[in-house]
């Protein structure tokens, strides 16, 4: 994979590389440290930066001494935000790679508590979370970059999937404006919009296989960071975990064990799919990551993620036509239940009775069926556009999310939103099919196509009983895999001799 590492921003022909003292456009000297004016400016910049860093350190230190977490995180987030903004404006491709690499760790600095499946914190509290600030920065930077690309080329690369995802984002915004609490719904719509924009951006940034490799490398760097943090704390005797009912569940770098589980689910499915097509030394590293991921996936004790991983891996084995992989999956499943008995105990609870609002580790399937019959009537207020994103838990006594993305789409975004959501699911599967048909057999692109197909099947399967669409951080990586498959699916299909290759690009 190292041979594909290259400069993200090409140097114009005839120009010089940045930093050599000449301008890239005409070769004229740039004002820098070597000129009097540049020397003064550089000196003032260094002094200003030092004073700013000192002030931030003082504020953060005083806040830490006072036990004020917000006072510690926000100044540091401001410094990081400025640095990232500069990167976004100067090296946008590098900025996107950085976001993919570190997004898995951003929740470590979250100011609000977890809200798994229930009513979350106030809009004001969520608005100052680093993850929200990161989302706003990304939308601004991506909007400017996409506008510049459109102005330069007159069009953007697109696909049926990009149009379907744009419809999901648009219906979320429309529903949010009609919600009883627009500020809360708009914040959720903004989070969904970051996923849509990330997909559109990645479609522009991946013109070839080398670019696909860079994006996937950034995704798995995020896995290295997440697993490394979890492993170190576990070895030190203080594993990052949350207690739910009778179970202690690993949450890793995320605020919820369910989010960590679904993140690992996608990483494991895609990793197994591309494993056989990588170089030997890279396979060794990936094998270690996959083994750790499987272990921590079991320790999250997230039933939907475990079932989704099983479904996705079976799909990968079938598409690879690998009987050995199917047997290995069966062995791993049996060994996992034997090594982590809590997994078997959690699944055994599905056969137990449970009252609505009772023990969170009880028969959640029975609870969900009862809850779904209750919340479906909420859509009667506005069948066309729904009650607004993230509003279900604020309209019920249970104060819970729908735990069903199909129902959530209908209740919160109405018939328009449900139609857009179903179109997106169909586009996921259509993109996977197109990538499988166009990927050369036995090549890396085939692994990408199979990996996304497995992830797409798992996504659809667990959406029927989970809040997958609300786990925005995991969706960033899912759409990175989707965009990789979309690049392959847009490639011309084999054409008859003498005939022009058909176009598969849809203007945006």
């Amino acid at each position: 994979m190292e041979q594909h590492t290259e400069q993200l921003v090409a140097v114009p022909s005839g120009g010089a590389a940045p930093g050599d003292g000449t301008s890239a456009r005409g070769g004229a000297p740039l004002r820098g440290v070597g000129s009097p004016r540049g020397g003064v400016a550089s000196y003032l910049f260094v002094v200003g930066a030092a004073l700013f860093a000192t002030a931030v350190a003082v504020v953060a230190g005083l806040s830490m001494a006072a036990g004020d977490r917000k006072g510690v995180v926000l100044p540091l987030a401001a410094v990081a935000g400025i640095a990232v903004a500069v990167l976004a404006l100067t090296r946008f491709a590098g900025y996107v790679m950085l976001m993919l690499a570190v997004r898995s760790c951003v929740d470590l600095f979250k100011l609000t508590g977890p809200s798994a499946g229930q009513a979350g914190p106030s809009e004001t509290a969520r608005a100052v979370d680093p993850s929200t600030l990161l989302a706003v920065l990304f939308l601004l930077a991506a909007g400017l970059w996409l506008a510049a690309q459109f102005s330069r080329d007159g069009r953007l690369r697109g696909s049926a999937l990009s149009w379907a995802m744009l419809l999901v984002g648009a219906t979320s915004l429309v529903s949010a404006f009609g919600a009883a609490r627009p500020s809360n719904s708009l914040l959720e719509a903004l989070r969904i919009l970051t996923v849509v924009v990330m997909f559109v951006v990645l479609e522009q940034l991946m013109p070839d296989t080398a670019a696909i490799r860079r994006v996937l490398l950034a995704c798995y760097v995020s896995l290295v960071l997440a697993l490394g943090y979890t492993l170190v704390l576990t070895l030190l005797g203080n594993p990052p975990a949350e207690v739910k009912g009778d179970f202690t569940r690993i949450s890793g770098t995320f605020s919820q064990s369910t989010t960590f589980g679904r993140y690992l689910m996608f990483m494991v499915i895609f990793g197994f799919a591309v494993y056989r097509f990588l170089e030997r030394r890279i396979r060794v590293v990936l094998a270690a990551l996959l083994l750790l991921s499987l272990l921590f996936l079991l320790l999250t004790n997230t039933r939907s993620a475990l079932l989704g991983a099983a479904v996705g891996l079976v799909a990968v084995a079938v598409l690879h036509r690998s009987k050995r992989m199917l047997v290995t999956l069966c062995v791993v499943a049996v060994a996992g239940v034997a090594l982590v008995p809590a997994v078997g105990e959690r699944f055994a609870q599905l056969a137990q009775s449970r009252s609505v609002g009772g023990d969170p580790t009880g028969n959640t399937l029975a609870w969900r069926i009862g809850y779904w019959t209750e919340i479906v009537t909420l859509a009667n207020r506005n069948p066309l556009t729904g009650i607004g994103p993230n509003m279900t838990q604020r309209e019920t006594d249970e104060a819970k999310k729908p735990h069903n993305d199909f129902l959530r789409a209908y209740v919160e975004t109405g018939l328009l939103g449900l139609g857009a959501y179903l179109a997106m699911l169909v586009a996921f599967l259509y993109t996977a099919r197109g990538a499988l048909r166009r990927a050369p057999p036995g090549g890396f692109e085939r692994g990408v196509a199979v990996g996304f197909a497995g992830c797409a099947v798992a996504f659809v399967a667990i959406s029927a009983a989970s809040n997958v669409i609300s786990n925005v951080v995991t969706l960033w990586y899912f759409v990175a895999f989707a965009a990789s498959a979309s690049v392959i699916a847009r490639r011309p299909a084999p054409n008859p001799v003498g005939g022009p290759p058909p176009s598969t690009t849809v203007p945006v």
Side-chain angles (χ1 to χ4, degrees):
M1 188 177 296
E2 287 77 10
Q3 65 267 30
H4 296 281
T5 303
E6 59 191 45
Q7 193 173 354
L8 293 179
V9 179
V11 178
S13 60
D20 68 349
T22 60
S23 68
R25 179 178 299 179
L30 294 173
R31 292 194 181 273
V33 178
S35 64
R37 188 178 302 176
V40 173
S42 299
Y43 177 78
L44 292 176
F45 175 78
V46 171
V47 171
L51 291 175
F52 180 69
T54 302
V56 168
V58 170
V59 172
L62 293 175
S63 299
M64 182 178 294
D68 181 8
R69 178 178 172 84
K70 184 182 295 186
V72 175
V73 171
L74 290 182
L76 297 178
V79 174
I82 292 173
V84 170
V86 171
L87 178 63
L89 294 175
T90 56
R91 294 290 185 271
F92 184 76
Y95 160 72
V96 174
M97 300 302 107
L98 177 64
M99 291 298 96
L100 288 172
V102 304
R103 182 60 186 89
S104 62
C105 298
V106 172
D107 282 356
L108 291 174
F109 308 98
K110 198 170 186 178
L111 299 176
T112 55
S115 57
Q118 58 190 359
S122 66
E123 301 87 54
T124 303
R126 290 185 65 191
V128 296
D129 263 335
S131 59
T132 303
L133 300 177
L134 187 72
V136 172
L137 174 61
F138 173 72
L139 288 176
L140 290 174
L144 292 173
W145 185 81
L146 288 171
Q149 299 301 303
F150 184 81
S151 175
R152 185 192 66 185
D153 301 332
R155 63 182 296 169
L156 299 175
R157 295 191 191 97
S159 61
L161 179 53
S162 60
W163 279 108
M165 293 187 69
L166 286 169
L167 283 176
V168 170
T171 54
S172 297
L173 287 173
V174 170
S175 299
F177 284 114
R181 298 173 64 176
S183 58
N184 179 78
S185 276
L186 282 171
L187 191 57
E188 182 70 9
L190 178 146
R191 296 173 72 243
I192 295 173
L193 199 59
T194 61
V195 177
V196 176
V197 174
M198 175 60 79
F199 178 81
V200 174
V201 164
L202 289 176
E203 277 199 318
Q204 317 310 310
L205 290 176
M206 292 193 290
D208 51 31
T209 302
I212 292 175
R213 287 178 177 269
R214 287 195 293 269
V215 170
L216 296 181
L217 176 61
C219 291
Y220 279 89
V221 166
S222 79
L223 181 62
V224 172
L225 296 177
L227 293 178
Y229 173 86
T230 307
L231 181 61
V232 169
L233 290 190
T234 301
L235 294 177
L236 292 176
N238 186 29
E242 59 179 349
V243 178
K244 288 189 174 182
D246 299 328
F247 300 103
T248 299
R249 301 165 58 180
I250 295 293
S251 56
T253 55
F254 300 89
S255 59
Q256 307 165 18
S257 56
T258 52
T259 305
F260 190 35
R262 288 167 193 155
Y263 166 78
L264 293 175
M265 175 190 75
F266 289 131
M267 291 296 182
V268 165
I269 294 171
F270 198 89
F272 270 95
V274 300
Y275 176 83
R276 62 173 62 187
F277 303 109
L278 301 176
E279 299 173 3
R280 181 179 179 84
R281 56 182 176 178
I282 298 176
R283 286 204 304 268
V284 172
V285 176
L286 183 58
L289 293 178
L290 292 177
L291 287 175
L292 275 177
S293 297
L294 285 171
L295 174 61
F296 286 129
L297 176 58
L298 288 169
L299 294 176
T300 66
N301 218 342
T302 303
R303 288 185 299 216
S304 61
L306 290 168
L307 289 173
V311 171
L313 288 173
V314 168
V316 168
V318 170
L319 291 172
H320 277 327
R321 300 179 180 179
S322 175
K323 295 180 180 179
R324 180 183 299 178
M325 185 175 178
L326 286 173
V327 173
T328 302
L329 291 176
C330 293
V331 173
V332 169
V334 174
V337 173
L339 293 174
V340 188
V343 174
E345 294 172 8
R346 182 142 164 78
F347 276 95
Q349 289 181 333
L350 290 173
Q352 301 174 3
S353 61
R354 176 179 182 270
S355 60
V356 174
D359 188 345
T361 61
N363 185 359
T364 55
L365 178 60
W367 168 80
R368 289 175 196 192
I369 293 174
Y371 192 51
W372 295 340
T373 59
E374 175 188 348
I375 65 175
V376 70
T377 58
L378 294 175
N380 295 339
R381 302 179 190 176
N382 192 344
L384 191 61
T385 60
I387 63 175
N390 205 34
M391 287 299 296
T392 300
Q393 62 268 39
R394 289 171 171 80
E395 298 288 341
T396 61
D397 294 335
E398 286 281 316
K400 299 280 188 178
K401 295 180 180 180
H403 290 82
N404 183 316
D405 282 339
F406 296 91
L407 186 58
R408 175 175 181 160
Y410 171 61
V411 171
E412 296 189 347
T413 57
L415 292 172
L416 292 178
L418 177 61
Y421 179 75
L422 293 175
M424 181 181 71
L425 295 185
V426 172
F428 282 150
L429 299 176
Y430 177 79
T431 299
R433 177 175 176 269
L436 289 170
R437 294 180 63 183
R438 288 171 171 79
F444 175 74
E445 292 85 354
R446 176 69 182 181
V448 172
V450 171
F452 175 65
C455 290
V457 170
F459 182 96
V460 175
I462 68 174
S463 292
S466 304
N467 301 305
V468 184
I469 203 70
S470 64
N471 290 148
V472 170
V473 56
T474 63
L475 294 183
W476 270 34
Y477 299 100
F478 176 71
V479 298
F481 300 154
S484 301
S486 178
V487 172
I488 299 170
R490 290 199 312 268
R491 290 177 179 173
N495 56 294
V497 178
S503 175
T504 58
T505 300
V506 180
V508 175

